[in-house]
Amino acid sequence: WKLCYALCLAVTCLPLVQSYTEEEATKHLVGWSASCSYSSQAGCNDFQSKFIKAYKKDMLEDASSSLAWVKRKRNEPQVEKSKQIYQWIQSTLEEIVATIKA
């Protein structure tokens, strides 16, 4: 069942943490909420809501791995709009990891 869980996680989360073209980033930013966070999800757009829902409280290892990946990714060249998405993803994953550890 662990393999099934890992595959389901990969299918759910990988599209949310990826490299974004200008067109994809623009689409994800429609209705973007700067105040959206793991603890305050009111007003989150579709992309933000799906990202947050992909991480459950028992997923510390997965959230930690994704956080490490995003930190590396933010150091790579990327389209300008992607920077906003990655910054939000990093801060949200940091909050998720802290919540799980608490």
Side-chain angles (χ1 to χ4, degrees), residues 86-100:
Y86 286 124
Q87 188 280 324
W88 178 84
I89 289 173
Q90 181 176 335
S91 65
T92 301
L93 284 171
E94 288 170 344
E95 183 182 5
I96 290 169
V97 169
T99 300
I100 293 170

Side-chain angles (χ1 to χ4, degrees), residues 10-98:
V11 170
T12 303
C13 297
L14 285 180
L16 300 173
V17 183
Q18 63 178 352
S19 296
Y20 302 104
T21 64
E22 184 75 21
E23 183 179 328
E24 290 168 330
T26 299
K27 185 177 97 176
H28 291 321
L29 291 173
V30 172
W32 189 265
S33 172
S35 63
C36 173
S37 68
Y38 187 68
S39 60
S40 179
Q41 298 177 30
C44 295
N45 77 0
D46 187 55
F47 172 85
Q48 292 170 309
S49 294
K50 286 179 181 176
F51 183 87
I52 290 170
K53 288 177 185 169
Y55 289 93
K56 305 296 180 200
K57 286 200 170 212
D58 61 343
M59 298 173 55
L60 177 60
E61 184 177 332
D62 298 314
S64 296
S65 295
S66 294
L67 177 58
W69 184 88
V70 168
K71 286 180 177 179
R72 287 190 306 273
K73 190 70 176 169
R74 287 189 68 195
N75 292 323
E76 297 175 6
Q78 49 193 282
V79 297
E80 190 62 36
K81 292 180 179 179
S82 289
K83 292 177 184 179
Q84 181 179 354
I85 295 171
Y86 286 124
Q87 188 280 324
W88 178 84
I89 289 173
Q90 181 176 335
S91 65
T92 301
L93 284 171
E94 288 170 344
E95 183 182 5
I96 290 169
V97 169

